[in-house]
Amino acid sequence: MRSIRTRTLALVLGLLAVSLAGISWKSYKDAAHEIEELFDAQLAQTARLLDGMVARDMPRSARESLQRALDLASGAGDATRPGHRYEGKLAFEVWGDGGGVVLRSASAPADLVAGLPSAPGPAAPAARAPAPASAHAPVRPLVGYHNVTVGEHRWRVFVLQDVRDAQWIVVGEREDVRGELVGKIALRSLLPDLVGLPLLALLVWLAIGWSLRPLKQMAALIKSRSPGNLSPLALARLPQELEPMVAALNRLLQQLAAQLEREKRFLADAAHELRTPLAVLRIHAQNAIDAPTAADCAESLRQLVQGVDRATRLAAQLLTLARLEPNAAQFSIEPLDLHVFVRNELAEIIPLALERGQTLTLLADETGDYRIEADRTSIGALLQNLVANAIQYTPDGGRVRVVLHAAPDRVTLHVQDSGPGVPEAMKAKLFERFVRGEAGTGAGLGLSIVQRVVELHRGTIALADTRLGGLDISVTLPRRRAGAAVDVARNSSGV
């Protein structure tokens, strides 16, 4: 179920159906119980009416007349007699003190009292008829309601003892007829719920659709936008639940717009920076072709090689910077001993310093702990750019020094040189792309790469003057990057 509307409707209607089923079942049971109580009350009322109508000393003719009147009132033998379907189908018998039947209805079975519990006293002529009881010792176990089986049917029977007239009144009702009436009455009370559920489902469907209309409008607005339109979404009367989503989308659009702007600026600057080296390479190649002497040709080829080296270094820096962009950074965080790593990297760079007669040294406490969690490739790019810049700006025969300091939660790397240094006004601009020092011949991307690596490792970078006379660039890296995987995922998405 991929639709929020369908899922919400299914959940709401499911909960509603389960709730209504439970409520309906409870209502049905309560209604059935109350109707049963009402029918039991009708049995008791009928028994008391018969008790008041039949007296012990009643003449035989009066009893026969009363029997005929009761048979006529109950509609015995008259199927066309008008009545109500909920009218009780009662059967009754009145037993005298001698065990004989004084009065009975035509609907009463012959053995209505056969299933009643035994009572003390002399046996009645009829099968297990209730025995008379004296005024001083009424038979209490027999009085009240009983469920008995007579033939193929179950009966609900009420027994009333008339102590004064020494007679028993037995009133019964078949449970199948009684249960049918109870079921019909109780089910009729559930009919509104059964009919109302589909209507309620339709109303819930319409209500959910109306509630989700702002979401649908927002989806239509986003779908109708052109790919190049990165302006913020503008929705009037935004629901409270959609405000965080729209705010996040607008923030993402702003970041995408800023990213595209940076890429456009970077491509424009890169094209500008590459145009001149390529033009110089062409001039050197043309000079080598047109050189009048072998010495001139060799000089042009030497300058051509130097130009190719500069262009290669510029292309490598551009690729490194592009790899470190937020939407392209692919980090592999692993444990790294910075002391061992720096020593190995400097061993590869030292020929550059020896070529200019410079001294390149590493100062670190051999007993210190320099282990961090970092990306080996990007840390290597950071170190190479810092040391290469220091070698470039340091005069021939100068000194370049790399210093490591260990702290409980961080490691600091210093790259110091004996060059001319950098004016205070220029230090703030050194981290901008394609900005180089006054004596520099590079592309001005080295410190931009360094700054990006430091940012991705949650570190800090600072510029200061050194006692050697030149610049001291210090990079502080935390030992552990909490949630490194999360950080990398965020950096990769540009968030």
Side-chain angles (χ1 to χ4, degrees):
M1 294 172 19
R2 300 172 58 186
S3 170
I4 295 179
R5 182 175 185 174
T6 304
R7 183 167 58 233
T8 304
L9 182 66
L11 181 62
V12 171
L13 290 182
L15 293 175
L16 196 59
V18 172
S19 301
L20 283 178
I23 295 174
S24 299
W25 174 252
K26 184 66 168 59
S27 300
Y28 175 82
K29 298 297 288 185
D30 291 343
H33 176 73
E34 293 299 326
I35 296 172
E36 290 278 359
E37 292 287 335
L38 181 63
F39 284 161
D40 285 347
Q42 184 180 8
L43 289 179
Q45 183 180 15
T46 302
R48 299 188 188 283
L49 287 175
L50 290 172
D51 183 34
M53 295 169 59
V54 180
R56 180 178 183 181
D57 54 353
M58 190 175 186
R60 181 179 182 85
S61 59
R63 291 184 181 180
E64 292 177 353
S65 176
L66 179 60
Q67 178 72 64
R68 289 193 298 270
L70 290 175
D71 291 342
L72 182 62
S74 63
D78 187 5
T80 62
R81 179 179 180 272
H84 196 276
R85 58 188 172 189
Y86 292 161
E87 183 179 349
K89 309 300 182 182
L90 298 177
F92 60 85
E93 292 180 345
V94 179
W95 290 77
D97 55 357
V101 177
V102 177
L103 195 68
R104 70 189 305 270
S105 66
S107 58
D111 51 353
L112 178 62
V113 298
L116 293 176
S118 300
R128 299 183 63 190
S134 64
H136 303 286
V139 185
R140 305 306 300 173
L142 192 60
V143 175
Y145 293 95
H146 305 276
N147 294 318
V148 300
T149 301
V150 180
E152 298 179 354
H153 301 286
R154 294 274 297 172
W155 287 74
R156 178 70 168 173
V157 175
F158 178 75
V159 179
L160 179 65
Q161 180 188 20
D162 187 351
V163 178
R164 182 191 60 185
D165 292 333
Q167 60 184 8
W168 297 81
I169 297 91
V170 181
V171 182
E173 189 174 28
R174 270 175 49 179
E175 286 195 352
D176 56 342
V177 178
R178 179 190 182 107
E180 181 182 358
L181 296 179
V182 171
K184 288 182 178 180
I185 297 173
L187 287 177
R188 281 184 176 275
S189 66
L190 301 179
L191 189 60
D193 294 339
L194 298 177
V195 175
L197 185 60
L199 178 61
L200 187 60
L202 177 61
L203 294 178
V204 171
W205 173 269
L206 296 177
I208 293 176
W210 180 81
S211 300
L212 294 178
R213 187 180 299 173
L215 185 60
K216 186 176 181 180
Q217 293 175 349
M218 186 178 73
L221 177 62
I222 296 176
K223 187 177 181 180
S224 63
R225 291 167 68 96
S226 62
N229 185 4
L230 297 179
S231 60
L233 297 175
L235 291 174
R237 302 177 62 184
L238 194 66
Q240 183 177 0
E241 290 78 8
L242 290 181
E243 288 181 356
M245 183 185 301
V246 174
L249 286 174
N250 288 337
R251 184 167 60 252
L252 178 60
L253 291 174
Q254 292 175 357
Q255 292 172 348
L256 289 175
Q259 177 66 22
L260 290 177
E261 184 62 28
R262 286 196 300 268
E263 290 181 356
K264 290 179 181 178
R265 187 169 61 252
F266 174 76
L267 291 175
D269 294 340
H272 178 270
E273 291 294 326
L274 285 173
R275 188 181 298 114
T276 300
L278 293 177
V280 171
L281 290 177
R282 188 179 186 282
I283 292 174
H284 290 322
Q286 189 66 40
N287 290 339
I289 294 174
D290 299 336
T293 64
D296 292 338
C297 181
E299 177 63 22
S300 297
L301 290 177
R302 186 183 63 81
Q303 293 180 357
L304 178 62
V305 171
Q306 293 178 352
V308 170
D309 291 340
R310 286 193 295 270
T312 301
R313 183 168 60 252
L314 175 59
Q317 289 182 325
L318 288 174
L319 291 175
T320 300
L321 195 59
R323 190 181 69 87
L324 296 174
E325 283 297 318
N327 61 341
Q330 299 295 328
F331 269 19
S332 178
I333 302 299
E334 57 181 302
L336 180 65
D337 190 330
L338 198 58
H339 185 200
V340 177
F341 182 78
V342 170
R343 186 169 54 200
N344 294 334
E345 290 292 321
L346 293 183
E348 297 181 4
I349 302 175
I350 197 169
L352 298 178
L354 295 177
E355 185 179 358
R356 302 185 58 184
Q358 298 172 346
T359 302
L360 178 59
T361 57
L362 171 62
L363 299 179
D365 184 1
E366 295 294 336
T367 61
D369 182 9
Y370 301 98
R371 291 174 297 177
I372 62 173
E373 291 182 357
D375 177 62
R376 181 180 297 270
T377 303
S378 58
I379 293 297
L382 176 146
L383 184 62
Q384 290 176 7
N385 278 280
L386 287 179
V387 177
N389 277 353
I391 292 175
Q392 177 184 350
Y393 286 96
T394 300
D396 294 348
R399 299 172 58 190
V400 177
R401 186 167 61 188
V402 179
V403 184
L404 288 175
H405 291 292
D409 58 342
R410 63 189 182 276
V411 176
T412 302
L413 169 70
H414 294 267
V415 178
Q416 305 167 348
D417 62 70
S418 60
V422 178
E424 289 294 331
M426 188 66 181
K427 288 180 180 178
K429 299 180 180 180
L430 285 183
F431 296 105
E432 298 180 6
R433 295 175 179 177
F434 306 107
V435 174
R436 61 177 69 89
E438 296 178 358
T441 58
L445 293 175
L447 288 182
S448 297
I449 294 174
V450 171
Q451 185 184 39
R452 182 59 186 155
V453 172
V454 172
E455 289 176 352
L456 292 176
H457 285 82
R458 297 289 185 88
T460 58
I461 185 171
L463 303 179
D465 296 329
T466 178
R467 294 180 181 180
L468 297 180
L471 187 64
D472 179 7
I473 302 180
S474 62
V475 174
T476 301
L477 300 174
R479 289 190 180 273
R480 292 176 175 82
R481 299 179 67 243
V486 176
D487 294 339
V488 171
R490 290 178 177 174
N491 291 326
S492 300
S493 62
V495 180

